[in-house]
Structures are given as C-alpha cells and as structure tokens.
C-alpha cells in the first residue's frame, strides 16, 4: 500500500462526514464562543492518540495484556450507547452533558475520531511494514488534516441542511451507528473466538 492509499483508507475509516451530525449535536450544548476551542482541542487529542497507537499501539496492548479484539468490542459498546441517544434524544445531547459542559476526550476524540477501526488499522500498518513509518505518519496527518477541516466547518453543513435536516441526518446516522457498533462487537467476538480456537490444542 502506498502513502496515498493509506491516507484515503484512514480518511474513510475516520468518516468525518458521518460524524458531522454527532459533533454538531454535542457542540450545540456548549457556549458558542467555546465551541471552536473545544473542537480543536478534541481534534488534537485524537491526533495524539492515533500517533501513539501508530508508534506504540502494539507495545501498549502487549503491556496491558490486551488484544486488538478488546479495542473493537469496547469501541462497539461505546458507539452503541451514543447511537441510542441519537435515535432517542435526551437533554444534554448524545453524551448526556449538561448545558455548557464540555466533552473531554470521550466521545469526540475517542471513539468518534480515533475509533477502534482507525486504531486497529494503524497498528496493522505499523506491524506489517515497520520500515515505512514516515509514510504512515504522512498518511495519518493527511487524513486527519482533511477530516479536521471538514469538522471545523460543520456550521456550513448545518446551514445547508437546516435544523430539521440535521435532525433527520442525526437519526439516520444513529441507525447506521447501531449497525456499525454491533458489527464492531461481533467482529471482536469472532476474532477472539478464532484466536482461542487456534490456540487450543
């Protein structure tokens, strides 16, 4: 895989367009003057986390005695809870924050931006071809940069769609997230069962 292909793959997995309704729903409960600062902070946190997994993800999981299946299962559970709140809105938005309360790392940085699929892909890239870490770093920065620009201009998309349109998109994305979260969970379970069956004599 070349650098461009890796960047496109990571961008598609990050899915900034799909995250727009969720980010907008979270940010609308924060004071307008703080929204951009919060968004930039969460994007930077996501980049730091993804860089950490690219260079040390496999070592971190080994140190904690965790397998990549754990990342998939945990991410699936978190996404499922977020999706339920998107489909059935509650006061405080999809993460149940009080008006004016800022999200911190969860759920914007993790798992929405730096989700289990992205982290697993980064670990896989580093594991399969560790001699090309510069290429993978450039690919990650490119994918993150384009995603960040899209999310920073979420207001433009909000104006185009309108309040009702954004609500409809949010409900639709909630349904999609339910399916994605269940798939993540099932993939984690399937990979774990396959690993256990291979290790059993």
């Amino acid at each position: 895989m070349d650098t461009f292909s890796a960047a496109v793959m990571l961008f598609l997995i990050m899915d900034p367009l799909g995250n727009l309704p969720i980010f907008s729903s979270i940010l609308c409960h924060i004071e307008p003057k703080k929204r951009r600062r919060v968004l930039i902070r969460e994007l930077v946190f996501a980049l730091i986390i993804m860089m950490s997994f690219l260079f040390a993800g496999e070592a971190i999981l080994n140190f904690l005695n965790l397998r990549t299946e754990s990342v998939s299962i945990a991410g699936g559970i978190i996404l499922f809870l977020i999706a339920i709140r998107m489909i059935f809105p509650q006061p405080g938005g999809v993460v149940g924050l009080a008006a004016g309360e800022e999200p911190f790392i969860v759920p914007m940085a993790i798992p929405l931006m730096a989700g289990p699929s992205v982290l697993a892909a980064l670990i896989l890239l580093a594991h399969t071809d560790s001699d090309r870490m510069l290429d993978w770093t450039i690919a990650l920065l490119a994918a993150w940069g384009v995603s960040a620009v899209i999310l920073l201009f979420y207001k433009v998309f909000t104006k185009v769609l309108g309040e009702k349109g954004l609500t409809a998109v949010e409900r639709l994305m909630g349904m999609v997230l339910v399916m994605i979260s269940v798939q993540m969970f099932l993939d984690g379970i399937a990979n774990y069962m396959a690993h256990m069956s291979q290790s059993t004599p």
Side-chain angles (χ1 to χ4, degrees), residues 17 36 43 47 51 61 86 101-102 115 122 148 174 179 192:
L17 293 175
R36 183 166 290 272
L43 289 172
L47 179 61
M51 281 292 187
L61 294 181
M86 290 178 65
E101 186 179 353
E102 299 179 6
L122 291 171
M179 293 182 285
Y192 176 78

Side-chain angles (χ1 to χ4, degrees), residues 57-127:
E58 194 169 8
I60 292 172
L61 294 181
N62 291 336
F63 177 75
L64 296 175
N65 198 27
L66 297 173
R67 286 191 287 270
T68 53
E69 295 88 356
S70 303
V71 181
S72 179
I73 294 172
I77 293 172
I78 294 174
L79 282 182
F80 181 82
L81 296 175
I82 293 172
I84 292 299
R85 287 182 176 270
M86 290 178 65
I87 300 172
F88 305 103
Q90 299 178 8
V94 296
V95 290
L97 297 172
E101 186 179 353
E102 299 179 6
F104 188 74
I105 299 180
V106 176
M108 295 178 74
I110 300 177
L112 294 179
M113 190 69 177
S117 298
V118 176
L119 300 182
L122 291 171
I123 293 174
L124 183 62
L125 286 173
H127 179 73

Side-chain angles (χ1 to χ4, degrees), residues 109-161:
I110 300 177
L112 294 179
M113 190 69 177
S117 298
V118 176
L119 300 182
L122 291 171
I123 293 174
L124 183 62
L125 286 173
H127 179 73
T128 54
D129 201 344
S130 58
D131 295 331
R132 299 179 59 196
M133 294 304 293
L134 178 60
D135 291 341
W136 307 145
T137 301
I138 294 172
L140 174 57
L141 289 173
W144 175 86
V146 176
S147 299
V149 169
I150 292 174
L151 292 171
L152 285 170
F153 287 95
Y154 75 96
K155 287 185 179 180
V156 176
F157 293 88
T158 302
K159 289 180 181 179
V160 172
L161 293 172

